[in-house]
Amino acid sequence: MTDFAKTRALFRLPDGVIYLDGNSLGPLPIAAEARVARTISEEWGKELIRGWNSAGWISWPRSIGDRVARLIGAPAGSVVMGDTLSIKVFQALAAAAALRPERRIILSDSGNFPSDLYMAEGLVTALGRGYQVKVVAPDAVEGAIDDSVAVMMLTQVDYRTGRLHDMAALTARAHAAGVVTVWDLAHSAGALPVELERCDVDFAVGCTYKYLNGGPGAPAFIYVAPRLADLAQPILSGWLGHEAPFAFDLDYRAGPGIERMRVGTPPIIALAALDAALDAWDGVEMDAVRRQSIALSELFIREVEARCPSLTLASPREPLRRGSQVSFRHADGYAVMQALIDHGVIGDFRAPDCLRFGFTPLYIGEADVMGAVAILERILATGSWDQPRYRQKAAVT
Ligand SMILES: Cc1ncc(COP(=O)(O)O)c(C=O)c1O
């Protein structure tokens, strides 16, 4: 049985703050402080370069990848950590496209996160030879799948609205047309049950600083289906993906399986924080997380719609069509969100008009939802959000 009172105690949440932004940056897992300190002082400090062997640093991208694999329905040995998500998107996309050399279209949708589309644009420019990125509306993806498409690259949960794609159905449809699939799980991993193996997904990528609470800039992950792992061509052919990195050969030969998706030296201190953060998931069932996330989101929607008439729901109303976030539109959404944050309710804003709220049962409960709605209602009813200081745009929204 998943015990959310127990998981909540594993996080450091500042007094007076209701944190509804774990879909953007998870809070600090208390265990990460001691774990990072130990890696710095005991491992780096005392072991120095020996730490690569004595502390096992060199294999952390794989061992931590196995811990992430459990949370996304992937078998052990199919996930490796490293780099940023944008880099992993590029890597997965290039390897996927190379599996269909006679096709030229990378299909995606306008709900995708811009960095994924930018990386695809960069890849097609580098590849030349008539490669194109085709972007359609999210509900037009299925109809756009045909045998001209090499790769379908989708983010499962829309970062703005929380709209959830049907991974099983779209992957099956893509495979029927011979299309290779790349799924971005940035807003899925740790948010809802993901079944990569059951859905027969080819490639998946994701970040660990959102629902997995690995900390700002925590390393990303890449999944390659075991049936493809020895066929996938690593476009970023760095030395740690080589078959024998310490042979220092002059020519690149891809390493076995998922090892070839490694690029360079892994960020050990960041991985130490992530490893500690993943302890919070031990004994947690994703189905229980999903049930509670839906209960909290439904409560939030019901209360906001009853008490804040100037907000319009931007997320799908049907809970099974959402990830673990809820968004509302307001013409002055940025200022409203700044006022909310000023009053201790932290969510975020996505242009042009979306207020985003993440529901993360590991450390958020019903009382937080009710407390947040009460503050939101007051700010809107009094108009206290309408002040120049709340309209001043910060670099990060
Ligand atoms: C869906 C999605 N893809 C890609 C990225 C970019 O990730 P990174 O900045 O780690 O490269 C993000 C960042 O939030 C994202 O949400």
Side-chain angles (χ1 to χ4, degrees):
M1 269 298 285
T2 302
D3 181 348
F4 291 118
K6 220 159 129 190
T7 56
R8 186 183 177 106
L10 301 175
F11 292 90
R12 191 174 305 294
L13 291 159
D15 288 340
V17 163
I18 299 175
Y19 196 60
L20 302 183
D21 212 4
N23 54 307
S24 214
L25 174 69
L28 173 65
I30 293 167
E33 291 176 309
R35 183 62 199 281
V36 167
R38 193 178 86 211
T39 295
I40 290 176
S41 56
E42 298 300 310
E43 297 175 0
W44 179 18
K46 294 185 182 155
E47 289 299 295
L48 297 159
I49 197 151
R50 293 171 295 187
W52 288 105
N53 293 312
S54 61
W57 294 339
I58 196 68
S59 56
W60 285 9
R62 288 289 299 281
S63 58
I64 297 173
D66 283 347
R67 301 190 75 188
V68 171
R70 180 184 84 77
L71 301 174
I72 54 175
S78 62
V79 173
V80 73
M81 312 304 300
D83 317 299
T84 70
L85 175 50
S86 302
I87 300 284
K88 278 356 222 180
V89 166
F90 189 82
Q91 227 184 355
L93 209 45
L99 290 170
R100 290 293 175 275
E102 69 293 353
R103 301 185 183 190
R104 288 290 176 273
I105 305 286
I106 293 172
L107 174 65
S108 192
D109 73 47
S110 54
N112 207 341
F113 190 77
S115 196
D116 293 28
L117 301 175
Y118 303 160
M119 293 313 275
E121 278 176 32
L123 178 67
V124 304
T125 303
L127 291 176
R129 293 180 282 139
Y131 276 95
Q132 282 176 38
V133 184
K134 180 174 177 181
V135 178
V136 300
D139 56 9
V141 170
E142 193 176 348
I145 296 171
D146 62 32
D147 62 11
S148 70
V149 176
V151 185
M152 178 185 78
M153 171 188 72
L154 296 175
T155 293
Q156 190 186 14
V157 177
D158 185 306
Y159 73 103
R160 264 200 208 110
T161 64
R163 188 258 316 119
L164 176 67
H165 269 311
D166 184 339
M167 177 184 278
L170 285 170
T171 301
R173 174 80 189 81
H175 284 173
V179 175
V180 184
T181 53
V182 176
W183 286 94
D184 183 334
L185 308 179
H187 305 267
S188 318
L192 69 159
V194 177
E195 297 183 301
L196 292 182
E197 195 173 24
R198 190 185 68 79
C199 294
D200 201 25
V201 164
D202 301 300
F203 295 85
V205 292
C207 63
T208 58
Y209 44 76
K210 300 180 190 290
Y211 295 90
L212 299 180
N213 313 305
F221 63 85
I222 183 166
Y223 162 85
V224 182
R227 66 190 151 75
L228 297 175
D230 285 324
L231 300 173
Q233 303 265 335
I235 195 161
L236 302 174
S237 38
W239 71 304
L240 287 185
H242 192 279
E243 181 186 277
F246 288 87
F248 297 106
D249 289 341
L250 294 185
D251 300 316
Y252 183 80
R253 289 189 311 280
I258 195 70
E259 283 287 330
R260 63 182 56 191
M261 291 298 157
R262 293 178 67 157
V263 182
T265 307
I268 292 303
I269 295 167
L271 283 168
L274 173 61
D275 200 30
L278 291 171
D279 290 348
W281 292 91
D282 289 345
V284 170
E285 295 147 335
M286 280 317 300
D287 287 339
V289 171
R290 180 67 167 154
R291 271 195 304 278
Q292 182 66 356
S293 142
I294 288 177
L296 295 174
S297 311
E298 289 288 276
L299 175 66
F300 184 72
I301 292 173
R302 205 164 50 239
E303 292 293 321
V304 169
E305 290 196 320
R307 295 159 64 179
C308 308
S310 57
L311 297 181
T312 316
L313 185 65
S315 300
R317 189 165 293 281
E318 162 60 44
L320 297 181
R321 293 186 179 276
R322 293 193 302 263
S324 199
Q325 67 172 73
V326 171
S327 302
F328 278 93
R329 293 188 199 286
H330 186 285
D332 287 296
Y334 183 78
V336 173
M337 182 51 76
Q338 297 321 299
L340 252 187
I341 294 171
D342 201 26
H343 289 81
V345 179
I346 302 184
D348 62 18
F349 170 80
R350 286 294 172 265
D353 57 0
C354 269
L355 296 126
R356 285 199 312 183
F357 303 92
F359 295 93
T360 47
L362 253 48
Y363 51 85
I364 290 296
E366 262 184 35
D368 300 307
V369 172
M370 295 308 285
V373 176
I375 295 171
L376 180 58
E377 179 183 24
R378 197 170 69 237
I379 285 170
L380 289 166
T382 59
S384 67
W385 58 268
D386 195 3
Q387 300 181 39
R389 64 186 171 125
Y390 293 142
R391 293 182 188 275
Q392 219 141 50
K393 286 261 164 75
V396 176
T397 65

